[in-house]
Each structure stands twice: as structure tokens, then as C-alpha cells.
Amino acid sequence: MIYVAIFLACLACMLFFAWRFTRHIDSKIERQFQPSGSFTEVEGGSIHWYKQGSGPNLILIHGLAGSGLNFSTLTALLANDYTVYVIDRPGSGFSTRQPSISANFDVQATMILQWMDKLNIENANLVGHSMGGAIALRLALDAPSRINAVSLLCPLTTPAMDPPGPLISLYIPHDGLRSLLANTFATPLRVTVGKRHVNQVFYPELVPNKFAIQGGGAYALHSTQFFNASCDIVASTRSLYKQYKRYNEITCPVGVLFGEKDKILKPSTHTPAVTELIENSISEVVANAGHMIPVTQPDACKAFIDKVNQMAQPKPI
């Protein structure tokens, strides 16, 4: 029994110090990052967003464990021709998602549509990166009259996928275990291996020096971001099974742009899932690029987004 007592005491100490370390990192991140946009309450949470530029409406939807800051460089380019709305997905960045609210993609899409209603955005073009691509496709299915065109950048489109590289560590199906890890061991582990994981996500391209702060990379270390990203990735398979066979119902133009050497999501898997079902679709590849093309290849992304949007029939504003 004494050995059990010693083990439990050691475990309690480890949990305590991991919790203290997590609180320290959270506080440091909260001092470094402050919301720069507006908040709009929707059912089940709130959407943090900001607007830049003028022209046709264009909504940017980021990927797993990311935030609207991931689009910082691309937003500046797009704002020359569009009214760009950059949002944090529900539960990501500074947006909130109540604990009782599902992370399923249909729920996230509904929350974004409610945000559009409150801002009187009747229709818009969409850009979705990675998991944000799956959300954009869900929006095109749920609100076809309001979505003019969808540009997908290295998108998640189908449940038929290999584990997404370093992000597989986020797959924690049990809510209690997810909460425990988010508040204790996850942060020390991510601080230890974070640089290697970020390099894997950007491979074969280099991580820009400004990505940690200006691109929002460091914000992903916050414990709430880990918890909600885990909810997202657990919900993704079920969500995609609900929607991927329905892509043939999408009538607006859809484009898929992949980095040739993306190691997180395979172009050969996630491009055909869209282009073989959606008649009005195109696809292109950026040579020698990886998964983070909104950060590393903003000019190529801007040119592709323009091309997809030009395929759309004008709708009344």
C-alpha cells in the first residue's frame, strides 16, 4: 500500500506543477494577444471578427487549432479588391463555444450563418483553409443562395484520410480526459515539441519569423485552444460522413488549391472528393509548397481566389 500511496503522491505533484505551468503559459499568452476585432453573440457562443477593405464580401475561415490571425498577410492583399471578413471559428481564437454546444461542422456553420444574419451579410464568397475548408463546404450546402463561390486552400474534405501528422495528438474522444490534459500535461508537452510540430505543418517551407505573433501561431498554445481543437478533430469524422457524399448538391463555383508537398492533408485524397462531385469546380497545385500556403504563398492564393470568384454569377447585394 505504501508504494501506491507514493505513486499517488507523485502523480498529484506532477498534476499540480503541470497545472501551474499551464496557468503561467496561459497568462503569458493572454498578455501577448488581445482581441483586435468585434464580438457578435450567436446561439451557443460568440464570433470574433474584423473587417478590412471594400468590394464584394469575402469571408475567411481558418483551420484546426488556428485563428483569423493566420490570414494576416493574405488579408492585406485581398482587401485591395474585397470587403474581407476574417473570423475566428466558434471555439477558436477569441471566439467562444459553450461547453454544451457541439463542435460538429453543421453546428459551426449554423453559428457562422447567424453571425452573417446579424451583420446583414446577404451573400458572400468564402475562403476556407484546412478544416475551414470543410466548414466552407458545409455552408455552401446549408445556404446555397447566400454563398457565391468557395475557394479551398489545402482543405479537409473527406473522412477518408490518414492521420493529420502532428495534429493527431489532438484526437482525445473522452471529454473528461481532454479537459484534464488541456489543463495539465498538454501545454508542457506542446512547449517541448511545438517547434518541431510547427515545422512539420509548414514542411517543406520555412516557418516565417513573424508567424508566432503576427500570424497567431503562439496563441495555439493556450489551454482552451487545445481543448476546443480536440473537440473539433473528434467531431470532424462524423461531420464529414454527413456531408461529403452531398457535394454534388453544391452549385456555386468551388476551387481547390493545394501545396504540392502538403504532409498534413494529401492533395490526392482531398482534391478528388470535391472535383469529382462538383461540376463547377477547378483545382490547382502550388509547386514545392506545403500546408500553410495562406501564410507562405499569399500571392498564389490571392490569384486563385480571384479566379474562382470570377466564375460566379453575380448576385444582388
Side-chain angles (χ1 to χ4, degrees):
M1 290 295 293
I2 190 171
Y3 295 110
V4 174
I6 293 173
F7 170 78
L8 292 175
C10 291
L11 179 59
C13 288
M14 291 172 62
L15 287 168
F16 174 76
F17 284 111
W19 175 81
R20 284 291 301 271
F21 181 80
T22 298
R23 297 286 74 75
H24 168 71
I25 296 297
D26 282 355
S27 296
K28 186 175 180 180
I29 290 171
E30 289 162 9
R31 290 192 299 269
Q32 182 70 61
F33 293 93
Q34 297 292 326
S36 59
S38 302
F39 288 89
T40 299
E41 297 296 320
V42 296
E43 186 176 351
S46 64
I47 302 292
H48 175 252
W49 61 278
Y50 68 89
K51 181 173 71 171
Q52 188 173 337
S54 61
N57 296 326
L58 182 67
I59 300 172
L60 308 187
I61 308 173
H62 65 82
L64 180 68
S67 72
L69 290 171
N70 297 162
F71 291 117
S72 296
T73 303
L74 180 57
T75 299
L77 294 177
L78 292 168
N80 293 320
D81 298 299
Y82 303 95
T83 300
V84 184
Y85 292 90
V86 183
I87 68 171
D88 291 340
R89 285 193 298 104
S92 298
F94 295 105
S95 293
T96 62
R97 184 172 61 216
Q98 296 171 4
S100 60
I101 299 301
S102 170
N104 288 345
F105 294 168
D106 55 337
V107 176
Q108 294 197 46
T110 296
M111 295 173 77
I112 294 171
L113 287 169
Q114 290 176 2
W115 165 80
M116 291 175 64
D117 290 340
K118 293 198 172 185
L119 268 65
N120 296 315
I121 302 174
E122 294 297 328
N123 55 73
N125 302 309
L126 301 181
V127 175
H129 173 237
S130 196
M131 183 175 283
I135 306 294
L137 289 167
R138 184 73 209 197
L139 283 161
L141 286 168
D142 290 350
S145 65
R146 303 182 66 177
I147 307 305
N148 301 334
V150 178
S151 298
L152 304 172
L153 310 177
C154 301
L156 172 68
T157 66
T158 170
M161 62 177 175
D162 296 325
L167 301 180
I168 193 60
S169 61
L170 292 166
Y171 190 85
I172 306 168
H174 190 275
D175 288 344
L177 179 59
R178 182 187 302 132
S179 179
L180 175 64
L181 292 176
N183 287 289
T184 54
F185 297 122
T187 296
L189 177 62
R190 287 184 296 152
V191 168
T192 302
V193 301
K195 185 175 181 179
R196 176 164 58 88
H197 281 182
V198 171
N199 286 336
Q200 288 176 309
V201 173
F202 273 82
Y203 177 87
E205 299 172 284
L206 297 177
V207 182
N209 292 331
K210 297 180 179 180
F211 177 70
I213 304 302
Q214 293 186 10
Y219 193 69
L221 289 173
H222 197 282
S223 61
T224 60
Q225 300 304 297
F226 177 89
F227 180 86
N228 286 321
S230 178
C231 294
D232 285 341
I233 201 168
V234 170
S236 65
T237 300
R238 179 181 296 179
S239 297
L240 287 165
Y241 270 114
K242 288 182 179 179
Q243 70 183 53
Y244 86 105
K245 291 184 179 179
R246 295 181 53 207
Y247 291 157
N248 63 335
E249 300 174 21
I250 297 175
T251 57
C252 71
V254 177
V256 182
L257 182 67
F258 254 106
E260 178 189 19
K261 297 183 178 180
D262 191 328
K263 295 298 183 182
I264 303 301
L265 297 172
K266 287 185 177 180
S268 59
T269 297
H270 294 275
T271 297
V274 170
T275 56
E276 291 179 1
L277 287 177
I278 300 175
E279 182 177 354
N280 195 13
S281 63
I282 61 171
S283 66
E284 294 182 6
V285 171
V286 182
N288 299 313
H291 186 66
M292 295 300 290
I293 56 175
V295 178
T296 61
Q297 304 287 337
D299 292 310
C301 290
K302 167 66 162 60
F304 185 76
I305 291 165
D306 288 342
K307 182 183 295 187
V308 175
N309 291 343
Q310 288 166 6
M311 295 166 60
Q313 294 294 324
K315 294 183 180 181
I317 298 176

